[in-house]
Amino acid sequence: MKKNRWRQGAASVAAAAVLWLAAVCAGSDDLASAAAAVRQSELARCLLQWELADLLPTDSLPLPALLALGQSPQLLAAQEEISRMQAVSPEKTETPAPPDEPVAQDEPQPDGDTAEPAPPLSVVVTDENGYIRVGDVFIKNASRQTLDGIRFDGTFAAAPGDESPQVLILHTHGSEAYTMPAGEEYVDTGSFRTADASVSVIRVGDELARVLSGYGLSVLHDRALYDDPEYNGAYYRAEDAIEEYMAKYPGIRFILDVHRDALEDKAGHQYKVVTREDPDCAQVSLVMGSSWEGWQENLKFAVAVQQHLTESHPTLMRPLTLRNSDYNEYFTTGSLLVEVGAAGNSLDEALKAAHLFGQGLAEVITAKAAQ
């Protein structure tokens, strides 16, 4: 019976492939035009994304389909492009779901979402089920990498130099904003998004820069909007900016890309994430990439920062997430993607979290400088 089902599945895949090829190549006059039509088809990219586990949480394709995908020159040729596509929007940390099942959202939601925020949520992991534990830090490894052989002993490669600036803060998605309490309304450009830098994550970056500067670190804060008016392509535009900054200021050793997360239930209610120590303080999460040589040093730095913060603020940090993309973190070994709060949080809650995170980060960086 299982053998028959396997054959039926293989036949279905083969039939679907034939139908797709027929549809794509319809109207082609010769083999060259047919090949061009296949190359331009979006389905090829979708199939590769499926095989790379980006359209489904696990590799659930039948074995014949996976083998076919793996042997396809067209799909293999597109793998680098798909890896770049993965960096269009950070995939958010998977968190234990409360009773009404909030889910992480990666793309901007339709304009006009005015649903009331859901009750506060403190994301706290206490066991290793689904996580890798390093000291007091829990890591959700959603990448294809292994952490075997990485020595998490508090050491890391990044160190501040004498040249200024030493730290670059920017916002790939600078229009990301927070919920609007009464009296704190802003002009939105989308769902929990605004071009008003005084109430968006750019304001959070201002606070972070202020705290780091107070510890004697030289900070450059890029307050440009790379996701407005168009969300897609923001990482590429931010990447170009980072390249220019690195060429102009070679002393930059730490790059912080500051975002805010978004967690909502099925009804569209936005959750706020808050610490257990202070319900008026948002939680923070780090999202790390692993698609370049040397990513381990960035992860070691992230773990060292999170471990230090957890010792003084046990629930400030949500689990760290490791993913397949690069998120432009490959420029320096001290690059982090920092998500401060979620769409359901208020700006004040996010600012309080940024203040605490900045203090802990500065303490880790200055301690390394003193070594």
Side-chain angles (χ1 to χ4, degrees), residues 285-296:
S285 61
L286 300 177
V287 180
M288 305 303 298
S290 63
S291 64
W292 72 97
E293 185 177 354
W295 60 270
Q296 297 91 337

Side-chain angles (χ1 to χ4, degrees), residues 227-296:
D227 63 338
D228 188 10
E230 184 179 11
Y231 184 84
N232 290 335
Y235 272 92
Y236 298 107
R237 293 186 286 275
E239 180 182 39
D240 291 340
I242 295 173
E243 287 180 346
E244 293 180 7
Y245 283 126
M246 295 298 294
K248 186 175 181 179
Y249 305 110
I252 293 174
R253 295 290 181 270
F254 300 91
I255 301 177
L256 310 175
D257 189 1
V258 180
H259 296 246
R260 66 105 175 98
D261 204 348
L263 296 169
E264 65 177 24
D265 62 18
K266 293 179 179 179
H269 298 132
Q270 296 291 334
Y271 279 86
K272 65 165 64 180
V273 285
V274 297
T275 69
R276 289 182 176 177
E277 299 85 53
D278 181 355
D280 293 324
C281 179
Q283 288 183 300
V284 179
S285 61
L286 300 177
V287 180
M288 305 303 298
S290 63
S291 64
W292 72 97
E293 185 177 354
W295 60 270
Q296 297 91 337

Side-chain angles (χ1 to χ4, degrees), residues 204-243:
V204 174
D206 289 338
E207 176 65 14
L208 187 56
R210 187 186 69 81
V211 174
L212 295 178
S213 298
Y215 280 79
L217 296 170
S218 175
V219 181
L220 171 64
H221 185 195
D222 178 0
R223 305 175 85 250
L225 289 176
Y226 295 107
D227 63 338
D228 188 10
E230 184 179 11
Y231 184 84
N232 290 335
Y235 272 92
Y236 298 107
R237 293 186 286 275
E239 180 182 39
D240 291 340
I242 295 173
E243 287 180 346

Side-chain angles (χ1 to χ4, degrees), residues 66-91:
L66 291 175
L67 291 175
L69 288 168
Q71 295 301 316
S72 168
Q74 171 65 26
L75 295 178
L76 291 176
Q79 183 163 0
E80 181 177 353
E81 181 178 358
I82 294 299
S83 296
R84 295 286 293 174
M85 289 170 61
Q86 289 174 331
V88 169
S89 177
E91 295 182 59

Side-chain angles (χ1 to χ4, degrees), residues 137 152 154-156 299-309 364:
V137 178
F152 295 104
T155 63
F156 50 88
L299 182 61
K300 289 172 64 177
F301 173 54
V303 169
V305 171
Q306 183 150 338
Q307 175 63 45
H308 179 71
L309 282 160
V364 171

